[in-house]
Amino acid sequence: MQQVISITGISSISPLGISAQEIWKRYKEASHCISFEDFADKKTAVATLCIETKREIATLRKENSHYEALDDSVLFGVFVARNAIQSAGWKGDDNFGVNIGSSRGATRLFEKYHQEFLETGKSSTLSSPTTTLGNISSWIAHDLQTKGPEISHSITCSTALHSVLNGVAWLQSGMADKFLVGGSESPLTPFTIAQMKALKIYVSDTDSEYPCQAMNLNKSKNSMFLGEGAAVACLEKGIKENALAYISGIGYATEPLKHNISISTKADCFQKSMKMALGDIPKNQVDAIVMHAPGTTKGDIAEYNAIQAIFGDHSPILTTNKWKIGHTFGASGILSTELAILMLQHQEFIPIPFIEYPTIPNKLNKIMVNAVGFGGNAVSILLEKPSI
């Protein structure tokens, strides 16, 4: 890292709620956020936004006639972006950059318009502009009236942390002073869920107290399920008095593609990304890792093997939030970042309830966050508790 980057604001929308107080309270509870809903006439485990949160999005949709035609993924992003810059004290005339990504994008609208085309042979006028990948960042920039660069991308499940990488690069290059980064995902649609089931990675043991067994290294079945949500963070160059956390290390790597969805047994991509994020920082200074760990048999153990290979006897304590809120695809990395920031702020580790920990640290100074996408696109971010 050429220079420390401050995270001066963060906001999210997820099954945990909206406010930081509400989200932290839900994290401290041992219960998960899974509900069972019908998709293609089959009961399916998902993690949806609560009724109160859905009302907030419905209110936002009615706020502007242009918003009525937008996908939920866009409105999720607009909602959290407003809250994030408010918490950071930013204003639209600050001309900050925007890079909000999504793995799947406008899933609900795309499926709706495609079905309409199959039935009528015609497509609606707004089908193209409301389902493009750049839809999220462009509408957020429009809503906030910033004149900075607007960037969108999709790098599957590591999308949001790649947004962080990009924001850091812009800041350190001197081409921007502030950057809004994150991810938004609204994947709870029949076709999207059918795709995950076709891969044989979706949870089937729905009678268990914890259907998603993320980081249970002894599980014999895949236990991933999908959730919806978005999160956005405000990045500024240098040490800021209002910093929630510092980014003191970044790392990234891509494995040679051997299979469309797999990574190597010891997750070579994670080994490289974590090693890069560490830089010259001693391994024993990292107190915890918020893992990607989606609850798949091969994915969880591969990431665990990578951590063991890098940290050895100095392995940090491990956690993940996917057992509770599901896999939110492109938004997952920034939601994991929010969990890390909350643990640093409250100086309290959030454990996985079905795992026994030998010891739990009572002091947290540095936490690493991991994310990886299909094909081994890994990112690791090292966060540090502010000293001021």
Side-chain angles (χ1 to χ4, degrees):
M1 290 280 290
Q2 298 175 15
Q3 190 172 4
V4 168
I5 301 296
S6 292
I7 299 177
T8 54
I10 192 165
S11 175
S12 75
I13 184 170
S14 77
L16 297 168
I18 297 172
S19 71
Q21 295 80 9
E22 179 184 14
I23 292 166
W24 181 245
K25 180 182 177 182
R26 293 297 301 275
Y27 265 129
K28 293 186 67 174
E29 296 171 356
S31 58
H32 58 67
C33 299
I34 297 175
S35 61
F36 296 92
E37 300 190 8
D38 286 327
F39 287 89
D41 297 325
K42 291 184 178 180
K43 288 287 185 183
T44 302
V46 292
T48 66
L49 304 182
C50 66
I51 293 175
E52 293 78 9
T53 304
K54 289 179 179 178
R55 286 183 187 142
E56 293 282 355
I57 297 301
T59 300
L60 174 60
R61 187 180 295 280
K62 295 176 183 177
E63 182 182 304
N64 186 319
S65 59
H66 294 297
Y67 290 177
E68 293 178 2
L70 299 180
D71 188 72
D72 281 347
S73 58
V74 179
L75 295 181
F76 291 176
V78 169
F79 185 88
V80 296
R82 287 181 180 181
N83 291 340
I85 69 163
Q86 182 179 16
S87 68
W90 292 8
K91 300 184 184 301
D93 56 10
D94 285 339
N95 291 334
F96 47 85
V98 177
N99 188 175
I100 312 297
S102 182
S103 174
R104 302 290 163 148
T107 50
R108 180 182 62 83
L109 279 188
F110 192 88
E111 291 178 32
K112 172 191 171 185
Y113 287 137
H114 186 251
Q115 184 63 37
E116 177 185 90
F117 174 74
L118 292 177
E119 293 173 355
T120 67
K122 297 180 181 180
S123 185
S124 298
T125 304
L126 294 178
S127 60
S128 176
T130 57
T131 59
T132 57
L133 181 60
N135 208 28
I136 301 177
S137 285
S138 59
W139 275 108
I140 288 174
H142 166 77
D143 184 79
L144 301 179
Q145 292 295 291
T146 179
K147 299 178 179 63
E150 305 158 22
I151 305 166
S152 297
H153 67 253
S154 174
I155 311 178
T156 62
C157 304
S158 57
T159 293
L161 289 196
H162 272 96
S163 295
V164 175
L165 292 181
N166 203 29
V168 169
W170 274 80
L171 294 174
Q172 294 199 335
S173 73
M175 294 175 65
D177 295 321
K178 300 177 180 179
F179 234 89
L180 198 63
V181 300
S184 182
E185 210 75 58
S186 179
L188 305 184
T189 58
F191 183 52
T192 306
I193 288 175
Q195 292 174 62
M196 297 302 106
K197 289 184 176 180
L199 291 171
K200 312 277 190 222
I201 58 177
Y202 216 88
V203 60
S204 58
D205 184 10
T206 55
D207 294 327
S208 172
E209 181 181 3
Y210 296 105
C212 179
Q213 292 283 307
M215 273 310 293
N216 177 356
L217 302 181
N218 296 316
K219 61 179 174 290
S220 58
K221 296 180 181 179
N222 289 315
S223 63
M224 189 197 85
F225 70 98
L226 295 185
E228 58 185 348
V232 163
C234 299
L235 306 187
E236 300 185 47
K237 184 165 60 177
I239 294 175
K240 303 297 180 181
E241 290 185 1
N242 63 331
L244 305 175
Y246 301 139
I247 299 176
S248 54
I250 56 173
Y252 51 89
T254 301
E255 289 190 8
L257 193 63
K258 295 180 180 179
H259 187 278
N260 289 13
I261 66 169
S262 65
I263 58 176
S264 57
T265 305
K266 292 188 177 181
D268 296 337
C269 57
F270 267 138
Q271 291 191 48
K272 293 175 183 176
S273 67
M274 289 188 291
K275 187 175 182 180
M276 184 186 298
L278 278 171
D280 297 328
I281 296 172
K283 299 173 184 178
N284 60 2
Q285 287 190 13
V286 180
D287 303 300
I289 297 178
V290 181
M291 299 175 64
H292 182 74
T296 59
T297 54
K298 293 182 179 179
D300 289 7
I301 191 66
E303 185 177 0
Y304 177 78
N305 288 339
I307 291 169
Q308 295 302 305
I310 292 298
F311 289 92
D313 294 336
H314 300 292
S315 178
I317 194 167
L318 308 177
T319 192
T320 179
N321 57 12
K322 292 186 179 66
W323 66 272
K324 180 181 280 281
I325 63 172
H327 196 348
T328 53
F329 286 151
S332 61
I334 196 71
L335 287 168
S336 294
T337 300
E338 179 187 52
L339 171 57
I341 290 173
L342 287 170
M343 289 195 294
L344 288 173
Q345 287 181 313
H346 292 274
Q347 284 297 289
E348 184 176 347
F349 178 76
I350 298 297
I352 301 170
F354 51 82
I355 291 179
E356 292 187 10
Y357 293 87
T359 58
I360 291 181
N362 54 20
K363 190 175 183 181
L364 299 168
N365 289 318
K366 291 183 175 68
I367 299 178
M368 186 172 286
V369 180
N370 282 342
V372 67
F374 285 158
N377 302 298
V379 179
S380 298
I381 306 291
L382 186 60
L383 300 177
E384 186 173 344
K385 182 179 180 293
S387 56
I388 55 176

